[in-house]
Amino acid sequence: MTSVFLRRVFQTFRPARIYHFSTSAGGDEQNQKKQQQEKPEDEEPIVKEKSLTHVTFESVEDKNRQSYLQLIEAFKTQSRHRKNYVEFITAALKNMKEYGVHQDLKIYKALSNVMPKGKFIPENRIQSEFMHYPKQQQVQIDLLEQMEDNGVMPDVEMEAILVNTFGQRGFPVRKLRRMLYWMPKFKNLSPWPLPKPMPNDDLEVAKLAVKRIMSVDLEATVEVFETKDEVTELLDETWIVSGQTPKQKELIKLYQKAKAIYIEGPFNIWLRNRCVYYFILRGDAFPAPPPDDTNPDDVERLEIPPALASSVGIGVSMRRNEVSRVRSVHEQDDGTVLAVCVTGTSSKDSLLSWIRILQNKGYDDLANIPILFKFHPTKRELVAQTST
């Protein structure tokens, strides 16, 4: 209460501002000329601070890592009082992918260093829990979330930067420490490790996709074909990555009397930030084996292993010896997957070339089975249909 009272007293005794108004028509011009004459020659002209926004990032012609760092350093040197850093960091985060620096830890450290040190550190528990300087803390949390989305792991140096900026109890420091705890645990947890960085060649990415899909069977083989070398009547010159197993080759023989088998797709699989469309050769599902109706609690029909029964002399099991075909991993309730492929163009002509290549590689039974196409619309096609 005392501080509030003193503040009101000072406000009442503070001298009022004095405004000078010129009645002459050219008063403003005369005042400006007078100020320019009174201004000493040695004094440097005052330049208004120019805030760097996303327009500045977009206006750069050579968008690379070096030019991005130069923009950050220019903001640090040009901004005398280091203002508008929240807007600058927000604009910098939006343009990271265009400069190709969205997975660079050094860039994130440079952006975090833009903020002044010591100014945003809370002085007590109340300030720390009620998010002292919320805009500044939120933009730093957005930066950390973008690092997490791009798989960039922070280090101890970045933790020191945030501690010097927001203190030990700041929300960005808490977020960073959770990232330091969880991200190393999930880094190598995937059973399908991928190279980092991802290859830019579409063929190499397609190989990784088919290997991941066919990893359900250890006997699977992945082959790469060039249509110009494998097909005589060339319809579409491209490459084809095909995945098959010996078990799938045996399953094709069971469809000799089937009505048809289908080429379905495209389905998509994501490998980090790369989306790959693949197709499958599918047949109708086989009838499921009859369910086992035997009651395991029935004491009159105890199942005794033959080895134990012969050694003890009790007798063999009274259960009938029924032989049923066990489903493989390729046989599902909605159908049987007979082969998988990824083509360079994802066109019908490339899929026809794929079927001809399979016939030449030992799948002779495909020549006697009708094959139908079942194409699913992709996301782009759905958007185009809704817009029209």
Side-chain angles (χ1 to χ4, degrees):
M1 295 296 293
T2 305
S3 61
V4 175
F5 176 74
L6 292 174
R7 187 183 302 172
R8 290 180 179 176
V9 171
F10 284 125
Q11 287 178 356
T12 55
F13 288 101
R14 192 172 67 178
R17 296 181 180 178
I18 300 174
Y19 297 93
H20 298 278
F21 297 95
S22 177
T23 57
S24 61
D28 294 339
E29 297 179 357
Q30 292 177 2
N31 292 333
Q32 291 179 0
K33 291 180 180 178
K34 187 183 294 184
Q35 291 177 1
Q36 293 178 359
Q37 291 176 0
E38 294 177 356
K39 188 175 180 180
E41 298 180 355
D42 299 336
E43 185 178 352
E44 296 180 358
I46 298 175
V47 181
K48 294 183 179 180
E49 294 180 359
K50 183 180 179 181
S51 61
L52 297 176
T53 61
H54 66 281
V55 178
T56 307
F57 283 96
E58 292 177 354
S59 61
V60 177
E61 296 181 356
D62 296 332
K63 296 182 178 180
N64 50 35
R65 184 175 183 273
Q66 188 65 27
S67 60
Y68 197 90
L69 287 173
Q70 288 176 359
L71 285 173
I72 297 175
E73 293 298 327
F75 177 78
K76 291 180 180 180
T77 55
Q78 291 179 7
S79 181
R80 184 174 299 178
H81 301 290
R82 196 72 63 83
K83 296 179 180 179
N84 301 326
Y85 34 77
V86 174
E87 293 80 4
F88 174 76
I89 294 176
T90 304
L93 293 176
K94 291 180 181 179
N95 292 272
M96 269 191 163
K97 286 189 177 180
E98 297 181 3
Y99 284 80
V101 295
H102 57 285
Q103 293 181 339
D104 195 335
L105 178 60
K106 186 178 179 181
I107 299 295
Y108 289 103
K109 290 180 184 178
L111 281 178
S112 301
N113 255 330
V114 167
M115 290 190 175
K117 305 297 181 289
K119 182 179 179 181
F120 309 127
I121 297 178
E123 298 178 357
N124 50 53
R125 291 280 184 178
I126 296 177
Q127 288 183 351
S128 64
E129 293 302 325
F130 282 89
M131 206 170 188
H132 195 48
Y133 288 93
K135 288 185 178 180
Q136 288 76 10
Q137 293 200 48
Q138 187 59 49
V139 74
Q140 186 63 49
I141 291 174
D142 295 340
L143 185 144
L144 293 174
E145 287 181 353
Q146 185 161 328
M147 288 178 60
E148 189 175 3
D149 294 339
N150 292 317
V152 181
M153 193 181 305
D155 56 0
V156 182
E157 182 182 354
M158 190 165 188
E159 182 183 8
I161 294 172
L162 296 187
V163 168
N164 293 331
T165 307
F166 300 103
Q168 292 285 350
R169 297 189 297 269
F171 281 86
V173 178
R174 303 180 196 180
K175 169 73 175 175
L176 181 135
R177 286 172 178 169
R178 286 194 294 268
M179 292 171 63
L180 285 175
Y181 178 80
W182 286 109
M183 291 187 72
K185 294 181 181 294
F186 291 107
K187 182 180 180 182
N188 300 317
L189 196 61
S190 175
W192 302 285
L194 295 173
K196 191 174 182 179
M198 287 287 292
N200 294 324
D201 189 8
D202 294 338
L203 178 59
E204 296 298 326
V205 177
K207 290 180 185 178
L208 295 173
V210 176
K211 286 180 181 178
R212 174 176 291 193
I213 296 170
M214 300 303 297
S215 62
V216 295
D217 195 335
L218 297 178
E219 297 181 350
T221 57
V222 178
E223 298 177 317
V224 180
F225 305 109
E226 292 288 342
T227 55
K228 61 182 180 180
D229 300 332
E230 301 289 342
V231 182
T232 54
E233 298 179 1
L234 186 61
L235 299 175
D236 191 0
E237 184 177 350
T238 182
W239 47 261
I240 298 173
V241 181
S242 178
Q244 306 88 23
T245 64
K247 184 63 179 178
Q248 288 176 325
K249 190 174 181 179
E250 296 176 3
L251 291 173
I252 290 178
K253 297 179 180 179
L254 302 178
Y255 286 93
Q256 291 181 356
K257 298 181 180 180
K259 293 182 180 180
I261 57 178
Y262 310 95
I263 297 178
E264 293 186 354
F267 306 99
N268 59 350
I269 180 173
W270 285 91
L271 305 179
R272 287 206 182 98
N273 58 341
R274 302 291 298 274
C275 182
V276 181
Y277 291 98
Y278 67 94
F279 298 85
I280 63 172
L281 182 64
R282 185 188 66 84
D284 293 330
F286 293 109
D292 189 6
D293 297 332
T294 57
N295 186 10
D297 297 329
D298 189 1
V299 295
E300 295 181 358
R301 302 183 63 180
L302 291 176
E303 296 184 4
I304 303 173
L308 181 61
S310 60
S311 62
V312 180
I314 298 178
V316 297
S317 174
M318 297 179 63
R319 183 179 179 182
R320 292 178 298 173
N321 295 327
E322 296 179 356
V323 179
S324 61
R325 191 175 61 85
V326 181
R327 278 188 174 186
S328 64
V329 70
H330 309 289
E331 302 174 58
Q332 303 297 325
D333 294 334
D334 59 343
T336 303
V337 180
L338 303 174
V340 178
C341 84
V342 175
T343 67
T345 57
S346 298
S347 61
K348 288 185 179 181
D349 294 336
S350 62
L351 296 175
L352 286 174
S353 302
W354 175 47
I355 297 298
R356 293 178 182 178
I357 292 172
L358 291 181
Q359 292 176 2
N360 297 332
K361 296 297 180 180
Y363 292 81
D364 301 330
D365 300 320
L366 291 175
N368 302 322
I369 304 174
I371 299 176
L372 303 178
F373 287 91
K374 276 189 176 182
F375 280 139
H376 303 290
T378 60
K379 188 175 181 180
R380 294 179 180 177
E381 294 174 354
L382 290 175
V383 172
Q385 291 175 2
T386 54
S387 61
T388 56

